[in-house]
Amino acid sequence: MFEGILPHSFVLLCAAFQPCFTAPTYRTFQWLVAGWLHCPGRRTITAVAVASGAAEHRHISVFHRFFARAPWSLDALGRVLFTLALAWVPADQPLFLVLDDTLARKHGKGISLATMHHDPLLSTAKKPFFSFGHVWVVLALWVPLPMGRSRGFALPLLFRLYVGAKRGGQRAAPAHPRASRRQAAAAAAHAAHPRPTKLELARELIGLVAQWADGRKLYVAVDSAYAGRPLLEDRPPQVHVLSRLRADAALWARPPRRRPGQKGRPRRRGPRLPRLKTLAAHRRRWDALPLILYGRSVTPRVFTLTALWYHALRDQPLRLVVVRDPTGKRQDETFFCTDRTVDAAFILTGYARRWTIEVAFHDQKQFLGFEDSQQQSARAVARTAPVAGIVYALVLLWYADQGQQGAAVSWVPRPWYRTKTAPSFLDMLTALRQAPGPPPVSPALSCPRCAQNPAPPLPDADAAAA
């Protein structure tokens, strides 16, 4: 019945996840994926179960237990996705990872692990705004799928829920106030086991993928908020970080070599360098560098240097690239990479790939209901929303595989998009939905209690019968 809802090629793609579950749990996972793709509205667990057509065959509690109690690991699903995505990355090229966090807004006091977080979409430079919900730290693999031209796609692999402390220091968001003794016990437990920061969660995710890569070189593109000491120091040896350097960063020269017979401990940094703004102001020679960034051809002016950012990385100099807009509309920006052997073009194009995870966040929230689930169990919260990311990656991989096999996969032409050359995620999702024909609609549930207690007749029907 699962193959009647989705094409056989997509079922074969989902079969790679079978070793991650038991036999009954895998069948539930298949129904959930089918319902997640065909659900017309909000992706609540009940709506997904009805959209899958399994409401007549399985009780709704089966789908809730899948997230709250079933023995399966979300990291194991991410490793399977990583293996499937490696087929699209040439073996002689390094792997690019993109990492960022996103806010899933929630409503209701009974939502577990939900706290107040800074909302970057509603905030301005003068007035910050905070929203209630969940913040997810997501690590994705950048894959050059053929339908994306040169921009590529970010396939979400690993998810971690960041729990803030904006609600009295309680890990769970209770529906009712607790007694003072229980609050004191919760505060003591929090002091014994402090919550990990976003940078610590990011370092954990990168370490997992570094183990899966089997020694393959990794480049991680992160925002400037993640360019800190917890992430840059003590990272795996094959992992390098690309990010934006803050304008007020204190730069230092390399420490000088020790003279023969010199006493004292070795110096860890040399003399202090001028500020980046001062270096750019006194720079006379800028090199023109033609690039394709964010799908557009640009020719910025750049110059490179090597310096030590002692505040974030104490024992390794960085390769810095200062970029200037020739039109003067944008301020000068600086980017860096921990690998000093790469050039300026590699750093700028590698950092530009970070934008693909923002596109992935938008598509997951807009078309797959990343923010829709309302769970009151901590374990269910940590599992439900990431399923939208897994389904998002499966749709991309299925569409790319169909195009490689020569299947006629196209989007509906619209005359107002005259310059459209690549399909959007909604086009891919529509093609997957229409591949086997229209999805079956779950019939009305045959509830024995409803049969014993039929609904009373309408007053108009009684008047007509009289």
Side-chain angles (χ1 to χ4, degrees):
M1 187 174 293
F2 178 68
E3 294 189 4
I5 301 176
L6 295 174
H8 182 68
S9 56
F10 191 86
V11 176
L12 294 178
L13 186 64
C14 293
F17 297 92
Q18 188 171 1
C20 303
F21 306 97
T22 61
T25 308
Y26 176 65
R27 289 194 296 268
T28 306
F29 171 76
Q30 289 180 314
W31 285 116
L32 284 171
V33 172
W36 219 284
L37 292 171
H38 287 299
C39 187
R42 298 180 68 246
R43 262 74 173 186
T44 60
I45 303 303
T46 305
V48 168
V50 173
S52 65
E56 181 70 17
H57 308 279
R58 294 191 174 188
H59 196 270
I60 188 62
S61 61
V62 174
F63 299 94
H64 287 281
R65 285 198 301 266
F66 175 85
F67 294 103
R69 300 180 183 179
W72 57 276
S73 172
L74 195 62
D75 293 347
L77 303 185
R79 184 166 189 176
V80 173
L81 278 177
F82 179 77
T83 305
L84 294 175
L86 280 184
W88 296 95
V89 182
D92 58 342
Q93 295 184 6
L95 300 178
F96 279 89
L97 302 175
V98 287
L99 186 141
D100 205 351
D101 59 82
T102 183
L103 172 64
R105 302 184 186 92
K106 298 292 181 180
H107 302 278
K109 296 182 179 180
I111 304 299
S112 180
L113 304 181
T115 53
M116 297 298 295
H117 299 277
H118 177 261
D119 196 332
L121 298 181
L122 301 180
S123 302
T124 61
K126 297 182 179 179
K127 184 177 181 180
F129 195 87
F130 294 86
S131 296
F132 183 75
H134 296 143
V135 168
W136 293 92
V137 179
V138 183
L139 181 65
L141 176 65
W142 182 86
V143 182
L145 297 179
M147 65 276 190
R149 304 295 180 180
S150 59
R151 63 179 184 179
F153 292 90
L155 303 185
L157 300 178
L158 297 173
F159 301 81
R160 287 294 184 272
L161 182 63
Y162 168 72
V163 182
K166 293 289 185 179
R167 199 165 184 174
Q170 300 175 4
R171 183 171 179 82
H176 304 285
R178 299 182 178 182
S180 58
R181 294 183 178 179
R182 299 186 65 181
Q183 290 181 354
H190 170 63
H193 303 282
R195 299 182 181 92
T197 63
K198 294 181 181 179
L199 274 71
E200 292 173 350
L201 294 175
R203 183 177 59 184
E204 177 185 353
L205 299 182
I206 295 174
L208 285 177
V209 178
Q211 296 176 5
W212 302 345
D214 195 18
R216 196 167 177 178
K217 183 176 290 188
L218 300 174
Y219 289 91
V220 187
V222 298
D223 198 3
S224 57
Y226 286 90
R229 182 173 295 179
L231 183 63
L232 295 179
E233 288 191 348
D234 298 330
R235 65 186 188 279
Q238 76 272 25
V239 176
H240 296 282
V241 180
L242 299 95
S243 183
R244 185 200 306 266
L245 187 67
R246 50 187 302 172
D248 59 346
L251 300 179
W252 305 78
R254 296 183 181 183
R257 295 183 178 180
R258 292 178 60 84
R259 300 186 302 271
Q262 183 179 358
K263 299 181 179 180
R265 66 177 181 85
R267 294 188 59 180
R268 304 193 64 177
R269 53 185 174 180
R272 174 76 178 270
L273 298 180
R275 295 282 185 177
L276 290 171
K277 187 176 181 179
T278 305
L279 291 175
H282 291 82
R283 182 74 180 187
R284 295 184 178 181
R285 180 180 177 182
W286 295 74
D287 300 327
L289 184 62
L291 295 171
I292 298 179
L293 300 178
Y294 307 104
R296 301 175 57 184
S297 298
V298 295
T299 308
R301 303 295 189 267
V302 302
F303 77 89
T304 60
L305 69 154
T306 301
L308 185 66
W309 188 19
Y310 190 80
H311 176 76
L313 189 59
R314 291 169 289 187
D315 56 350
Q316 182 181 359
L318 302 175
R319 184 71 168 176
L320 306 179
V321 180
V322 184
V323 183
R324 170 168 291 182
D325 184 7
T327 61
K329 297 180 180 180
R330 300 174 60 91
Q331 297 181 355
D332 296 342
E333 294 180 326
T334 306
F335 303 89
F336 73 86
C337 181
T338 56
D339 187 3
R340 300 190 302 274
T341 62
V342 298
D343 55 2
F346 184 90
I347 297 176
L348 297 181
T349 55
Y351 182 79
R353 293 170 180 173
R354 195 195 65 84
W355 181 252
T356 56
I357 197 172
E358 302 291 347
V359 178
F361 289 153
H362 171 270
D363 293 340
Q364 293 173 53
K365 295 178 181 179
Q366 190 77 12
F367 306 114
L368 294 177
F370 186 83
E371 300 177 305
D372 294 346
S373 60
Q374 300 286 99
Q375 299 285 11
Q376 298 184 7
S377 171
R379 192 175 187 183
V381 166
R383 286 177 165 186
T384 307
V387 173
I390 295 174
V391 174
Y392 172 81
L394 287 175
V395 173
L396 294 178
L397 293 175
W398 173 84
Y399 196 92
D401 185 67
Q402 292 298 108
Q404 189 182 42
Q405 295 179 5
V409 180
S410 61
W411 62 88
V412 178
R414 294 175 175 86
W416 50 86
Y417 291 144
R418 300 179 180 179
T419 60
K420 184 175 180 179
T421 58
S424 64
F425 178 76
L426 183 58
D427 296 328
M428 305 178 200
L429 184 60
T430 303
L432 178 58
R433 288 171 174 173
Q434 295 178 351
V441 179
S442 179
L445 302 182
S446 57
C447 180
R449 183 175 300 178
C450 297
Q452 296 175 4
N453 302 315
L458 297 177
D460 295 341
D462 294 342

